[in-house]
Amino acid sequence: SLVKAVLYKEAGLRAGRLLSQVIVFEVPGWNRLMLMTDAAINIAPTLDQKAEICRNAIEVAHAIGIENPRLALLCALELVNADMPATVDAAALTMMNRRGQLTGAYVEGPIALDVPLSRFAADRKKIDSPLVENTDIFVAPDIEAANILYRAILYFAKGESGGIVLGARVPLILLSRAETPETKIRSIAIGILLARSQQNKLRAAV
């Protein structure tokens, strides 16, 4: 399979980075592109892996023209609760962003999904955040939450999407058998934009 070829130690495409999938999507009523991650690769990511998942998503956002993305670390609530490890990780990632360990975007969490999507919800919860009705990247706490969110975007919200996997030497397109031809075309387009962005960075570094 393609994944086995990528992971093959001797001649594969591994680049010493974490592989993660990033979905670019658009839904009716929101006239802009948004991103979500990781619905396909990392089952229960650690804190360090979540940081890499964020970095991969930020890279895609930059490649498609979102220069200063706002990233929401999704959880079930906005308070840190030791019994809910995802909230602890989200708070740590937010602090990493503030201290320059996680750059290229404004990062905030823990935060429930209603706050980035609804000013009414944010006002009711007394949350004042740049994310409110202006979030570019949604990072789920694990693969189950991400996969459910992705399917909801497609089937409840009638969204359109394309997906890419980062972390190898080249962008990878790994899609479900249920994806439409249009989704595959959009995924190829995202891959081309990402590859071009990566090449420009390499040229600039020389």
Side-chain angles (χ1 to χ4, degrees):
S1 70
L2 177 58
V3 175
K4 288 183 179 178
V6 170
L7 299 178
Y8 183 57
K9 290 184 178 180
E10 299 300 326
L13 297 175
R14 292 301 300 268
R17 295 173 54 190
L18 181 78
L19 295 177
S20 67
Q21 184 198 50
V22 179
I23 299 292
V24 179
F25 68 92
E26 186 177 26
V27 294
W30 294 77
N31 191 27
R32 59 190 179 88
L33 296 177
M34 294 172 279
L35 297 80
M36 63 152 295
T37 188
D38 169 15
I41 306 293
N42 298 283
I43 296 173
T46 64
L47 175 61
D48 287 342
Q49 289 173 331
K50 287 179 181 178
E52 289 302 309
I53 287 170
C54 289
R55 292 185 181 103
N56 284 348
I58 292 167
E59 183 177 348
V60 176
H62 291 168
I64 65 172
I66 305 174
E67 295 181 2
N68 300 297
R70 293 175 169 90
L71 185 153
L73 297 160
L74 298 178
C75 294
L77 74 172
E78 291 79 24
L79 302 176
V80 176
N81 184 330
D83 292 327
M84 303 176 73
T87 67
V88 179
D89 287 350
L93 291 165
T94 300
M95 185 58 67
M96 289 171 65
N97 177 244
R98 302 297 181 270
R99 294 185 175 178
Q101 294 174 269
L102 179 56
T103 62
Y106 173 83
V107 175
E108 186 175 333
I111 198 161
L113 181 60
D114 56 348
V115 172
L117 299 181
S118 167
R119 186 162 298 280
F120 174 80
D123 290 344
R124 295 286 288 180
K125 292 183 175 183
K126 295 181 171 56
I127 296 174
D128 182 16
S129 168
L131 296 179
V132 178
E133 295 186 353
N134 201 25
T135 297
D136 301 296
I137 304 171
F138 298 86
V139 177
D142 57 37
I143 197 171
E144 291 179 328
N147 195 275
I148 292 168
L149 175 59
Y150 175 51
R151 301 301 174 188
I153 288 168
L154 293 185
Y155 295 104
F156 282 138
K158 306 301 181 185
E160 297 181 343
S161 70
I164 202 79
V165 172
L166 285 80
R169 291 204 299 268
V170 295
L172 304 172
I173 299 171
L174 300 173
L175 298 172
S176 165
R177 291 168 293 176
E179 301 294 1
T180 65
E182 291 80 9
T183 298
K184 295 173 183 177
I185 291 170
R186 288 190 289 266
S187 299
I188 293 170
I190 295 165
I192 291 170
L193 289 174
L194 183 59
R196 182 179 299 167
S197 175
Q198 292 174 341
Q199 288 173 354
N200 289 339
K201 287 180 181 178
L202 287 174
R203 292 192 189 102
V206 174

